[in-house]
Amino acid sequence: MQTLANFGDGGGPGPWILFFPVIWALVIGGGFVLLRRSVWRGRRGGPWRQSAVSDDSPIAVLGHRFASGEIDEDEYWRRLSVLNEEFGRKGGMAQG
């Protein structure tokens, strides 16, 4: 601490030496924020976050038909139980 007290006499670097850790913390924090807002944002919808049913699968088509009113609720549940056995999330391939 003595060198900081005598910075006017040429005895040390002075109080400016304390700003270097602050500057490095700001640079690292700024880099983290920049990466988080740009690069990592696009990875949120990665393969681990995608829905289990793709948009062109029979289950999705059935859901769209039910949502548009083409089929009623009873028919939706009946067909969904059949499709879950064939294309569902449980086994993947039908066992025969």
Side-chain angles (χ1 to χ4, degrees):
M1 258 343 237
Q2 192 68 330
T3 59
L4 290 178
N6 296 329
F7 72 93
D9 298 340
W16 298 106
I17 193 74
L18 299 176
F19 286 112
F20 287 115
V22 173
I23 290 172
W24 277 112
L26 289 173
V27 167
I28 292 171
F32 180 76
V33 168
L34 182 67
L35 284 173
R36 184 172 174 132
R37 293 182 63 94
S38 61
V39 176
W40 293 338
R41 182 174 297 234
R43 295 186 182 178
R44 283 188 186 167
W48 56 91
R49 298 241 181 178
Q50 290 178 351
S51 66
V53 179
S54 64
D55 286 337
D56 59 345
S57 73
I59 295 175
V61 171
L62 180 67
H64 290 301
R65 288 185 64 199
F66 176 64
S68 67
E70 292 180 35
I71 58 175
D72 63 347
E73 185 177 358
D74 292 333
E75 187 175 356
Y76 170 76
W77 287 113
R78 186 169 32 91
R79 290 183 182 206
L80 183 63
S81 66
V82 172
L83 288 175
N84 271 333
E85 291 176 8
E86 293 287 327
F87 302 101
R89 303 172 192 122
K90 297 174 185 170
M93 293 183 62
Q95 297 178 359

